[in-house]
Amino acid sequence: MDSGLENIVAAETVLSDVDGQAGRLVIRGWPVEKLSASLGYEETLGLLWNGFFDDLGNSSAIQRQLGEARRAAFSHVGTFGPAVSVVSYLRTGWGLLKDDETLASAIALPAAAAVFTAAAIRELQGLAPIAPDASLGQAEDFLRMIRGERASDDEVKAFSAYLVTVSDHGLNASTFAARVVASTRAGLVSAALAGLSALKGPLHGGAPGPVLDMLDDIGTPQKAESWIDGALARKERLMGFGHRVYRVRDPRADALKAAVAKLPGTTGRIEFAEHIERAVLEKLSRKYPDRSLETNVEFYTAILLEALDIPREAFTAIFAMGRILGWVAHASEQIDEGRLVRPKSVYTGPVPEMV
Ligand code: ACO
């Protein structure tokens, strides 16, 4: 029995490889640092979905299909709500989409993620939703839909680098959940909803909002040590640190730090974050000398999304906008593999009385 399944291999995949000892992530042949610096959202979609759909087309065709699908998704905005949270709004919105295994259903998911997340953010701020501009790339249009004005090129690049960096990551909890549902042939939307529900937890994709809460609570570098000591004494988990697979630094942390450093006005915030990071790593290594706990992707995700003025309540839904590319690819790979996922359990309950 392996309750966390860490030693179980449950899929063969062409999509990504996580080497937790070397701190290396490869996504369809690309080291993540190179991928995030070189490819945009549409190109990454093409890379991950290639071979799973016959009529995908090149990145201009993908951009056009995503733009049209954003327009279609916008017709649902205002027909449901209110937005209790950004994730629940996205989950409800995705639930309205046609649920099959076609390219149209697949494309609708990332497109609708941008539209529904932007609409939920604006609704929670008491603002009217902004219609998509189908001629723009997904990253640029999303920032425009939340702000009401176009973002700078640097901001679009940083946001796009974020979405690409988190697009896939082996058999993490949400991707596994998506594959299990896909294996039942429930449809790509059902698989994505399973992924999103798993992603929402603070031990997985729900960590970056709490990372900012932690930084706010610490407030100044001088308070770092006592704050961390207090949190560890209360047995709290420090958000943005530790990982099931990585025993060294998560390579995505540095890819995102590099992306945020290119944004003007971020030097002071990065220095503060680095200070807290050093203090946390030192305390964790003292408390767990035999367990290497390092910085994970969520720490610099928080700094990057904050620098883009994205409210922290939306961070998990935005993570889903990146990771949906991986969920769809994995779900399609699982469908092609053709085997229902159905592990066994060991019964430890009461034995029926003999009659
Ligand atoms: N802060 C404090 N203690 C920690 C942390 C942390 N961030 N991470 C692990 N530990 C502790 C555990 O409580 C455990 O202590 P114990 O033996 O006294 O119970 C010990 O270190 C060993 O834990 P692991 O086996 O390494 O943890 P596991 O693999 O089960 O969990 C996880 C990994 C969930 C990511 C964990 O490190 C954590 O909770 N981190 C904080 C939340 C976070 O940042 N999540 C985002 C992960 S990245 C992603 O999913 C996209």
Side-chain angles (χ1 to χ4, degrees):
M1 214 275 289
D2 185 342
S3 65
L5 303 185
E6 49 250 73
N7 299 310
I8 308 291
V9 176
E12 265 185 4
T13 182
V14 298
L15 295 167
S16 58
D17 181 40
V18 186
D19 183 335
Q21 299 297 332
R24 200 190 61 206
L25 166 61
V26 171
I27 298 179
R28 273 207 136 167
W30 289 69
V32 69
E33 301 83 350
K34 194 165 172 208
L35 184 77
S36 78
S38 318
L39 297 197
Y41 189 81
E42 283 74 10
E43 291 163 305
T44 305
L45 184 157
L47 180 76
L48 282 167
W49 294 12
N50 183 29
F52 298 115
F53 301 98
D54 292 336
D55 34 6
L56 194 54
N58 60 19
S59 53
S60 321
I62 292 168
Q63 178 162 329
R64 200 174 48 249
Q65 293 173 79
L66 276 173
E68 281 160 16
R70 283 198 302 278
R71 248 203 310 246
F74 192 71
S75 66
H76 292 294
V77 171
T79 65
F80 64 96
V84 179
S85 73
V86 183
V87 166
S88 69
Y89 191 94
L90 172 57
R91 205 160 40 186
T92 307
W94 268 358
L96 302 172
L97 303 176
K98 190 162 178 226
D99 193 6
D100 59 28
E101 296 169 355
T102 61
L103 176 61
S105 287
I107 285 277
L109 282 161
V115 170
F116 296 146
T117 302
I121 290 172
R122 288 187 64 87
E123 187 180 314
L124 289 170
Q125 293 171 340
L127 300 169
I130 292 173
D133 178 342
S135 70
L136 299 180
Q138 171 99 345
E140 182 172 5
D141 200 24
F142 174 75
L143 292 177
R144 193 193 60 84
M145 283 190 286
I146 56 174
R147 293 175 177 188
E149 59 187 23
R150 285 179 85 149
S152 71
D153 286 350
D154 283 346
E155 289 175 314
V156 173
K157 268 192 204 138
F159 185 54
S160 174
Y162 165 70
L163 295 174
V164 168
T165 300
V166 301
S167 60
D168 199 38
H169 198 242
L171 213 54
N172 59 84
S174 57
T175 300
F176 183 54
R179 286 189 78 123
V180 170
V181 172
S183 83
T184 71
R185 309 302 301 267
L188 293 174
V189 171
S190 293
L193 286 166
L196 179 60
S197 299
L199 188 75
K200 169 174 168 281
L203 300 191
H204 189 14
V211 166
L212 291 186
D213 297 340
M214 173 178 78
L215 296 183
D216 286 353
D217 223 25
I218 295 174
T220 62
Q222 295 71 24
K223 288 197 195 139
E225 246 189 80
S226 59
W227 191 97
I228 298 163
D229 285 339
L232 289 178
R234 292 190 299 276
K235 298 198 179 313
E236 286 171 16
R237 299 232 172 162
L238 302 171
M239 293 294 144
F241 298 91
H243 199 273
R244 176 55 63 83
V245 179
Y246 290 118
R247 287 295 149 249
V248 294
R249 196 177 167 79
D250 183 336
R252 298 169 299 174
D254 286 329
L256 295 182
K257 192 169 157 187
V260 71
K262 288 187 189 138
L263 290 173
T266 52
T267 312
R269 190 60 165 163
I270 293 175
E271 280 170 7
F272 178 60
E274 284 172 336
H275 181 92
I276 304 304
E277 184 186 9
R278 276 194 301 274
V280 168
L281 292 178
E282 205 221 311
K283 297 281 180 192
L284 285 175
S285 71
R286 276 204 208 158
K287 181 156 188 196
Y288 299 101
D290 301 327
R291 179 79 173 178
S292 171
L293 296 171
E294 292 284 340
T295 313
N296 67 44
V297 63
E298 304 289 49
F299 192 71
Y300 284 101
T301 289
I303 306 299
L304 189 149
L305 296 181
E306 176 193 56
L308 292 170
D309 280 335
I310 294 173
R312 61 191 74 176
E313 299 73 29
F315 286 2
T316 308
I318 288 168
F319 191 162
M321 202 193 309
R323 184 55 60 83
I324 184 61
L325 302 186
W327 290 338
V328 167
H330 275 273
S332 305
E333 191 177 50
Q334 186 69 42
I335 291 164
D336 289 352
E337 203 272 339
R339 188 91 181 140
L340 174 74
V341 177
R342 204 307 184 185
K344 289 181 183 167
S345 51
V346 178
Y347 180 64
T348 59
V351 177
E353 278 178 39
M354 301 295 287
V355 277

